[in-house]
Amino acid sequence: PKIEQHFLWTVGSKKMEKYEAEMEAEQVARDNTRKERRLIKELRRQMQSMLVDTSTLPKDLWKYFKDADTDGSGRIEWSEYLKVMTALGLSKMTKQNLRTLFNVADNDSSGSIDFNEFLKAVVGNIVSL
């Protein structure tokens, strides 16, 4: 893109600034995706080391989820999610990393996740069944 950059400089600095801002935003998005992938790999490693019987994993996770859902809404908020992850023995991960994984699971950005979102994030993306 040297030609592209040269063209942008010839048409004005405002367009060049916009182009640079777009490139920076794309780089940040790529970096965030890489970070999420690394976190998922780490969580996969931790969970696989402690959860040997993956055939009962969804049922086991339901018990943890149900216990954490103290208000019976069928959804767990961040604080309840933290309880589940601690009960699973994943409290070694930083809260920031656990928060990132929560946000990945919270597809609709509601601030809470239902069991399907939780199960998909944990089983579908993390544990190879």
Side-chain angles (χ1 to χ4, degrees):
K2 285 185 179 180
I3 294 171
E4 202 173 304
Q5 288 179 354
H6 175 70
F7 173 74
L8 288 171
W9 277 114
T10 61
V11 295
S13 63
K14 293 236 187 253
K15 285 188 179 184
M16 186 61 189
E17 289 171 6
K18 182 180 175 187
Y19 173 78
E20 288 173 342
E22 289 171 359
M23 296 301 291
E24 177 69 22
E26 288 177 16
Q27 183 63 41
V28 167
R30 283 191 297 273
D31 290 346
N32 287 339
T33 300
R34 283 188 210 113
K35 179 182 177 184
E36 289 172 0
R37 286 183 184 148
R38 282 193 309 272
L39 288 174
I40 288 171
K41 284 180 183 178
E42 174 62 18
L43 188 55
R44 174 188 293 130
R45 188 190 63 70
Q46 287 186 21
M47 289 191 74
Q48 287 178 337
S49 70
M50 52 180 263
L51 298 170
V52 177
D53 187 4
T54 56
S55 65
T56 63
L57 185 59
K59 187 169 75 172
D60 296 340
L61 289 175
W62 171 247
K63 289 177 192 173
Y64 287 111
F65 185 90
K66 194 169 86 171
D67 289 345
D69 182 19
T70 54
D71 62 1
S73 66
R75 301 183 69 81
I76 58 174
E77 288 77 29
W78 162 244
S79 61
E80 295 168 323
Y81 170 83
L82 213 59
K83 290 177 190 174
V84 172
M85 301 310 262
T86 301
L88 289 171
L90 300 171
S91 57
K92 294 176 189 173
M93 295 184 77
T94 66
K95 282 189 179 182
Q96 180 182 6
N97 289 350
L98 289 172
R99 183 61 176 198
T100 299
L101 292 170
F102 178 83
N103 292 339
V104 168
D106 186 15
N107 292 328
D108 59 3
S109 300
S110 64
S112 64
I113 57 175
D114 62 23
F115 184 66
N116 288 332
E117 289 174 314
F118 177 74
L119 192 62
K120 182 179 177 188
V122 174
V123 177
N125 294 329
I126 296 170
V127 178
S128 303
L129 295 177

